[in-house]
């Protein structure tokens, strides 16, 4: 039962769009600004406002190079059970999480 | 006559906030600082006049910054996220001394006698202790090793009577009492297995009980510092049992001691509740349903009201609890990012940081109405000098 429930979630995560280095067209500019604000201030409460780490690890490109944006998007959407990393599913769409993951991979200025 | 006129003129021409070169001659008892988290600066405030006195810049990454005061309440020691420790002269609006002491820090404490500043670090995990005078290193106490790469993060660092500090280890579930009565030779008493993932801690105002909140399990860990030989014990271990835990979007803070009569008020982790505890036997007395997940649960100094703010996505709301009836008597939305609250020393006012509106709002606690708004760039922590004389703050 549980496995059946889990499968579509993984499926959804894996069907995220292809990696692109430009800003995803699916996230309008105004929403992008909101997401950056969220990243700095709300993710920042655990990862540091400059994403250099806090209770959660630093989210700098060099630390994240072993993960694909898809994998990071899954972590963002579903969290890491057993750790303080919460699921952001209620507040983010797949493409928004993917866009955030891309920003993390690229590094914010 | 001319002299008098030019004095008058220069007074009239005085800018709103004095420039950093001239120091004030006044008491500091009604002063405080507000952290501007994004700009890496802080504002020195006059809490009687509700006015800004100075803006001090160049303090590095101040997200999540906290501060303690020297016992003469002239200097604020500000702990930055980037490991910066800055000693700010609030009468002159200047940085008296600044060091970057670690990679990533989370707060600190000042010793009972005011001579030592302890800083709690995430990276590399541990506690460093400095001279309050010149910020020279006195002791370096690394935390327990977690794996080849890292040491446990340290959290919930407080000062305690008899020249001690108490701290908890997030990754390894420990609390340590650090006795600095001989600064050359710190004595450490370790309590292991206090509970899973302590995320923050507080010490009661009388300096007797150290309480660490646990993220990884239900309950809180308690150490009676009068009887450390009894070890750490788990209290309120049933409060979350059977309830659906919600994801936590911001860790609650256990700061100060929200206490009224025999009752203490604590934020529940992952619940929309404030816990009420009988502080004589540490049994749960009740739970108060609130608007979201509480972050700060702070009692007005006289204990008559408790003010609560909330984690994302409810951080636009403040609620006030009457500690006699345990009812929420006021709910209001001051704006997005209501991050921190600070009461005036005797509690007639409370200052609230509203991050996304770039302002601090000042409320009367009697009428619970807004009195004044001050412009502050992305404000977070507010720290008044009355903290200089309180254990644990």
């Amino acid at each position: 039962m549980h496995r059946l429930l889990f499968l579509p979630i993984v499926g959804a995560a894996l069907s995220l769009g292809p990696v692109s280095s430009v800003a995803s067209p699916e996230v309008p500019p105004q929403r992008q600004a909101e997401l950056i604000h969220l990243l700095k201030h709300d993710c920042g409460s655990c990862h540091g406002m400059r994403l250099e780490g806090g209770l959660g690890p630093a989210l700098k490109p060099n630390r994240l190079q072993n993960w694909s944006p898809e994998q990071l998007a899954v972590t963002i959407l579903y969290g890491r059970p057993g750790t303080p990393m919460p699921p952001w599913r209620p507040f983010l769409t797949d493409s928004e999480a993917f866009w955030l993951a891309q920003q993390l991979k690229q590094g914010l200025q | 006559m001319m002299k008098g006129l030019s004095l008058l003129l220069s007074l009239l021409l005085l800018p709103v906030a004095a420039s950093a070169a001239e120091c004030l001659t006044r008491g500091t008892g009604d002063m405080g600082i507000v952290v501007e988290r994004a700009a890496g600066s802080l504002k020195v405030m006059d809490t009687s006049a509700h006015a800004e006195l100075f803006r001090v810049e160049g303090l590095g990454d101040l997200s999540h910054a906290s501060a303690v005061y020297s016992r003469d309440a002239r200097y604020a020691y500000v702990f930055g996220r980037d490991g910066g420790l800055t000693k700010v002269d609030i009468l002159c609006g200047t940085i008296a001394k600044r060091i970057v002491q670690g990679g990533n820090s989370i707060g600190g404490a000042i010793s009972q006698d005011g001579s030592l500043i302890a800083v709690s670090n995430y990276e590399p995990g541990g506690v460093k202790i400095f001279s309050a005078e010149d910020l020279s290193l006195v002791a370096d106490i690394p935390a327990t090793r977690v794996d080849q790469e890292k040491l446990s993060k340290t959290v919930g660092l407080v000062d305690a009577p008899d020249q001690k500090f108490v701290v908890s280890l997030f990754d390894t579930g420990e609390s340590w009492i650090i006795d600095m009565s001989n600064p050359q030779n710190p004595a450490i008493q370790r309590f292991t297995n206090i509970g899973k993932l302590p995320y923050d801690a507080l010490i009661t105002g009388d300096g007797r009980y150290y309480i660490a909140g646990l993220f990884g399990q239900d309950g809180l860990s308690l150490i009676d510092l009068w009887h450390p030989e009894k070890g750490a014990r788990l209290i309120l271990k049933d409060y979350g049992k059977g309830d659906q835990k919600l994801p936590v979007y911001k860790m609650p803070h256990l700061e100060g001691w929200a206490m009224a009569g025999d009752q203490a008020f604590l934020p529940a982790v992952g619940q929309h509740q404030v816990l009420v505890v009988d502080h004589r036997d540490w049994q749960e007395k009740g739970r108060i349903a609130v608007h979201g997940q509480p972050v700060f649960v702070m009692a007005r100094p006289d204990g008559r009201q408790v003010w609560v703010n909330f984690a994302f996505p409810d951080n636009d709301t403040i609620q006030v609890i009457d500690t006699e009836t345990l009812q929420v008597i006021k709910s209001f939305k001051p704006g997005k990012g209501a991050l921190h609250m600070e009461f005036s020393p005797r509690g007639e006012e409370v200052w609230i940081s509203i991050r996304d509106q770039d302002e601090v709002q000042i409320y009367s606690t009697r009428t619970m109405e807004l009195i004044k708004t001050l412009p502050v760039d992305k404000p977070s922590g507010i720290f008044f000098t009355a903290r200089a004389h309180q254990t644990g703050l």
Side-chain angles (χ1 to χ4, degrees):
Chain A
M1 214 31 222
H2 279 100
R3 191 178 287 161
L4 280 178
L5 263 173
F6 187 60
L7 274 176
I9 296 174
V10 172
L14 291 179
S15 69
L16 290 166
V19 188
S20 74
S21 57
V22 291
S24 165
E26 297 142 78
V27 181
Q30 200 219 320
R31 181 64 182 151
Q32 292 186 6
E34 287 170 17
L35 292 178
I36 292 297
H37 187 273
L38 179 89
L39 190 59
K40 278 195 182 151
H41 296 290
D42 296 300
C43 312
S45 78
C46 287
H47 292 282
M49 197 176 53
R50 300 178 188 172
L51 304 178
E52 280 160 358
L55 192 69
L59 300 177
K60 292 288 179 186
N62 59 342
R63 268 207 75 251
L64 299 177
Q65 58 192 349
N66 293 333
W67 282 288
S68 67
E70 284 84 355
Q71 286 170 317
L72 293 177
V74 171
T75 299
I76 294 168
L77 287 171
Y78 301 103
R80 291 251 173 91
T83 81
M85 175 63 188
W88 292 83
R89 176 83 274 184
F91 311 104
L92 299 173
T93 64
D94 286 359
S95 41
E96 288 169 353
F98 185 70
W99 185 83
L100 270 177
Q102 283 180 312
Q103 304 311 303
L104 293 176
K105 291 284 285 181
Q106 282 165 23
L108 296 176
Q109 52 294 71
Chain B
M1 186 59 206
M2 270 311 282
K3 216 173 178 186
L5 195 70
S6 64
L7 185 74
L8 189 70
L9 267 178
S10 65
L11 277 176
L12 287 174
L13 295 176
L14 204 69
V16 188
S19 91
E22 44 204 285
C23 300
L24 301 169
T25 310
R26 54 169 287 165
T28 61
D30 58 349
M31 289 172 66
I33 59 171
V34 182
V35 172
E36 297 185 312
R37 69 197 298 267
S41 52
L42 52 85
K43 281 190 166 174
V44 179
M45 299 290 191
D46 178 327
T47 61
S48 299
H50 297 158
E52 175 185 338
L53 297 169
F54 298 110
R55 183 159 190 264
V56 186
E57 297 178 354
L59 283 84
D61 183 349
L62 292 184
S63 55
H64 219 288
S66 63
V68 298
Y69 282 96
S70 60
R71 66 193 286 167
D72 63 4
R74 173 166 185 172
Y75 298 99
Y77 297 89
V78 183
F79 309 99
R81 226 332 149 45
D82 54 1
L85 167 59
T86 312
K87 181 177 179 179
V88 176
D89 182 338
I90 60 168
L91 281 179
C92 301
T94 52
I95 292 178
K97 177 98 190 180
R98 173 173 162 79
I99 59 169
V100 175
Q101 54 79 40
N104 196 325
S105 76
I106 184 61
I110 186 163
S111 63
Q112 183 178 35
D113 70 353
S115 71
L116 300 171
I117 303 290
V119 189
S120 167
N121 286 316
Y122 275 169
E123 190 77 59
V127 175
K128 282 189 185 168
I129 298 173
F130 300 90
S131 151
E133 187 58 37
D134 61 3
L135 306 188
S136 60
L137 185 68
V138 174
D140 185 355
I141 301 167
T144 305
R145 184 162 288 287
V146 180
D147 57 36
Q148 288 209 324
E149 275 165 43
K150 61 172 193 173
L151 309 177
S152 175
K153 296 183 168 80
T154 51
V155 298
L157 174 63
V158 300
D159 60 293
D162 297 330
Q163 199 66 357
K164 289 172 181 161
F165 294 107
V166 191
V167 70
S168 294
L169 281 66
F170 175 76
D171 303 273
T172 52
E174 299 172 64
S175 292
W176 292 3
I177 300 176
I178 303 170
D179 182 343
M180 290 301 292
S181 50
N182 176 2
Q184 266 55 59
N185 194 12
I188 302 172
Q189 186 175 4
R190 294 178 173 80
F191 300 81
T192 52
N193 300 316
I194 64 148
K196 270 191 208 141
L197 302 179
Y199 63 87
D200 197 9
L202 61 77
I203 188 166
T204 51
D206 60 7
R208 176 162 182 181
Y209 297 102
Y210 179 80
I211 298 169
L214 302 172
F215 182 80
Q217 67 177 81
D218 295 328
L220 298 100
S221 158
L222 173 92
I223 297 174
D224 179 351
L225 298 173
W226 287 12
H227 294 287
E229 74 283 356
K230 289 186 181 162
R233 71 183 162 105
L234 208 57
I235 58 167
L236 296 181
K237 45 184 179 286
D238 294 324
Y239 87 74
K241 281 268 160 56
D243 298 349
Q244 176 77 44
K245 271 259 162 63
L246 304 167
V248 175
Y249 292 97
K250 181 170 168 55
M251 288 295 193
H253 278 270
L254 300 174
E255 188 200 76
W257 179 234
M259 175 102 167
D262 296 321
Q263 306 177 115
F265 295 78
L266 295 164
V269 189
Q271 315 271 358
H272 290 188
Q273 288 172 348
V274 168
L275 304 175
V276 188
V277 188
D278 186 324
H279 122 278
R280 291 163 305 184
D281 57 7
W282 304 107
Q283 297 298 309
E284 180 183 323
K285 272 187 76 177
R287 300 172 202 189
I288 303 166
V290 288
H291 174 73
Q293 293 187 25
V295 175
F296 282 102
V297 173
M298 301 183 78
R300 200 172 72 173
D302 66 338
R304 188 68 178 84
Q305 299 171 350
V306 164
W307 290 56
V308 186
N309 71 345
F310 302 98
F312 175 91
D314 298 312
N315 62 14
D316 60 347
T317 301
I318 298 281
Q319 287 188 315
V320 184
I321 295 167
D322 177 321
T323 56
E324 192 174 42
T325 61
L326 305 185
Q327 301 293 316
V328 172
I329 50 170
K330 172 127 176 150
S331 298
F332 63 101
K333 293 194 187 296
K336 269 200 183 150
L339 293 189
H340 197 231
M341 302 172 281
E342 179 86 336
F343 290 95
S344 57
R346 298 196 184 185
E348 79 285 359
E349 285 175 359
V350 61
W351 291 38
I352 305 177
S353 289
I354 312 295
R355 182 192 63 203
D356 293 5
Q357 280 172 213
D358 295 314
E359 63 189 32
V360 165
Q361 298 178 356
I362 304 172
Y363 289 82
S364 154
T365 59
R366 184 175 56 84
T367 61
M368 295 180 277
E369 297 295 336
L370 182 65
I371 305 173
K372 176 144 186 177
T373 295
L374 297 171
V376 182
D377 182 11
K378 298 274 174 294
S380 57
I382 308 175
F383 306 93
F384 291 168
T385 52
R387 291 172 175 255
H389 307 119
Q390 285 171 282
T391 297
L393 294 184

